[in-house]
Amino acid sequence: MSSSHSRSAAILAATSAALLLSAAYITMVEVGPFATERLSERATVRAMAAGIVAPGLSIQSQTDFLFHCRVAMTSLAGRAQPTAVREQILDACGDGSDAIVAAAPGFSAAWYTGALVASFTGEPEKLNQWLAQSYATGPFEQWIAELRVDLVEDNFAELDADLVDRHLADLAIQLTNDRGRRFLASRYLAFPQLRERIDLLLTTASEPDARRFLNIVDRLRVEKERTHGR
């Protein structure tokens, strides 16, 4: 075989190997989140800390990655990890959120996840910046609004004044549908400061929405009294 043919064969082999490695990498990052979909909280925490789960190229893969981040950061298993493990998880979720919003600036759930990371790393400025972007890119998405409500209520003292109205808008969204009303009802009974904010919104909510919400609260209150708060 001539030297030119040898070089061509070598180039072809190298190109094929590179393509195979690229395909393997893409498969790994795409399948990673799906492979952990049914893991327990503890196993999810271990997978996130080990870097097994990373955001892929598809929206579904990225959404699954963000879901696993929330589990790893907020679950009892995640919160109970040693500091070094927590830092690995926070770094992975922070880097993943950065990568997702860099490629898709309109991905509200990724902005929320970055804000969640900031709440654990003690970065109030970043918390507010990323929350603001989540509000801007997903103002009417029910499930993201629910996540933001809990995050903001846990960090209300850190919330910028110009984001308070955005938070109230998220609360108002919950009052307009049964899922949201059920979501708020238990929190309404448990947290006095949140109850004050909701009571204020009830004065401007439609009469049917306000009545339906208060009916759910009343039923939940009776149920708690019967089970002694359990």
Side-chain angles (χ1 to χ4, degrees):
M1 181 181 293
S2 69
S3 60
S4 62
H5 286 166
S6 297
R7 286 196 299 272
S8 297
I11 291 171
L12 179 60
T15 302
S16 298
L19 290 173
L20 286 172
L21 287 172
S22 177
Y25 172 76
I26 291 172
T27 299
M28 179 186 71
V29 296
E30 287 295 314
V31 172
F34 296 105
T36 60
E37 185 174 357
R38 299 188 181 184
L39 290 179
S40 66
E41 287 183 354
R42 192 175 300 278
T44 298
V45 169
R46 289 197 296 266
M48 291 299 306
I52 295 174
V53 185
L57 301 178
S58 69
I59 293 176
Q60 186 60 56
S61 171
Q62 293 169 0
T63 300
D64 288 343
F65 168 79
L66 297 172
F67 167 79
H68 292 302
C69 275
R70 292 195 298 276
V71 172
M73 286 189 284
T74 64
S75 66
L76 290 176
R79 292 175 185 268
Q81 296 303 306
T83 300
V85 175
R86 287 284 294 171
E87 289 176 349
Q88 289 175 320
I89 292 169
L90 293 171
D91 286 345
C93 293
D95 291 344
S97 298
D98 284 340
I100 292 172
V101 299
F107 207 140
S108 184
W111 288 111
Y112 156 80
T113 304
L116 182 62
V117 172
S119 74
F120 286 116
T121 56
E123 300 175 273
E125 183 175 354
K126 181 179 178 181
L127 167 67
N128 281 280
Q129 289 173 345
W130 283 61
L131 263 177
Q133 290 297 324
S134 182
Y135 286 128
T137 54
F140 306 116
E141 294 183 60
Q142 171 75 30
W143 68 281
I144 297 176
E146 291 175 6
L147 294 173
R148 286 193 300 250
V149 164
D150 282 342
L151 175 59
V152 168
E153 286 298 323
D154 286 342
N155 298 273
F156 195 82
E158 307 291 347
L159 191 67
D160 284 349
D162 59 352
L163 294 184
V164 172
D165 284 346
R166 299 292 191 93
H167 178 51
L168 294 177
D170 272 351
L171 292 173
I173 288 173
Q174 310 308 314
L175 292 173
T176 63
N177 62 86
D178 281 340
R179 168 175 163 164
R181 289 187 280 264
R182 288 192 296 269
F183 167 78
L184 283 186
S186 60
R187 291 160 175 79
Y188 181 86
L189 292 176
F191 304 112
Q193 290 184 330
L194 175 58
R195 183 161 60 247
E196 291 177 5
R197 285 187 268 279
I198 295 174
D199 282 341
L200 179 62
L201 290 172
L202 289 173
T203 63
T204 57
S206 72
E207 192 277 332
D209 284 345
R211 184 180 67 253
R212 291 187 184 105
F213 174 72
L214 293 174
N215 286 342
I216 293 173
V217 170
D218 288 341
R219 288 196 299 270
L220 184 58
R221 182 183 290 113
V222 170
E223 182 180 330
K224 285 182 174 296
E225 289 173 353
R226 287 175 178 170
T227 59
H228 303 287
R230 290 194 296 272

